[in-house]
């Protein structure tokens, strides 16, 4: 998780926007909160599968 440099969030439009701030404490359990990765948050009409509410894509940079 320390290698993650970018997170892309895709949230289904049906999710109540008041619930969005509830994600931050969950995210903060796994990521470096002192230097969090860049992120993009997009609301979409729907995700690929019915019933899916959120999709999170992570991009990591690993030194060789």
């Amino acid at each position: 998780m320390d290698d993650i440099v970018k997170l892309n969030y895709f949230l289904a439009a049906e999710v109540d926007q008041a619930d969005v701030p509830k994600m931050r404490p969950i995210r903060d359990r796994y990521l470096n909160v002192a230097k969090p990765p860049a992120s993009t948050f997009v609301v979409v009409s729907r995700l690929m599968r019915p019933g899916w509410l959120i999709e999170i894509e992570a991009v990591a940079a690993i030194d060789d």
Side-chain angles (χ1 to χ4, degrees), residues 1-7 18 21 27 29 33 35 40-42 44 50-53 62 64:
M1 298 297 278
D2 291 335
D3 297 321
I4 293 175
V5 295
K6 177 84 165 76
L7 291 170
R27 180 202 69 170
R29 280 190 254 162
V33 295
K35 189 178 176 193
T40 299
F41 200 106
V42 180
V44 296
W52 283 12
L53 299 177
I62 301 172
D64 284 340

Side-chain angles (χ1 to χ4, degrees), residues 2-64:
D2 291 335
D3 297 321
I4 293 175
V5 295
K6 177 84 165 76
L7 291 170
N8 298 312
Y9 297 89
F10 302 92
L11 186 72
E14 66 194 81
V15 174
D16 184 347
Q17 296 299 304
D19 289 331
V20 173
K22 296 175 185 176
M23 293 186 341
R24 179 162 286 193
I26 297 166
R27 180 202 69 170
D28 290 351
R29 280 190 254 162
Y30 301 98
L31 299 175
N32 179 351
V33 295
K35 189 178 176 193
S39 64
T40 299
F41 200 106
V42 180
V43 176
V44 296
S45 61
R46 71 178 199 89
L47 292 169
M48 194 205 70
R49 294 199 182 198
W52 283 12
L53 299 177
I54 189 167
E55 181 174 328
I56 302 170
E57 176 184 52
V59 178
I62 301 172
D63 292 330
D64 284 340

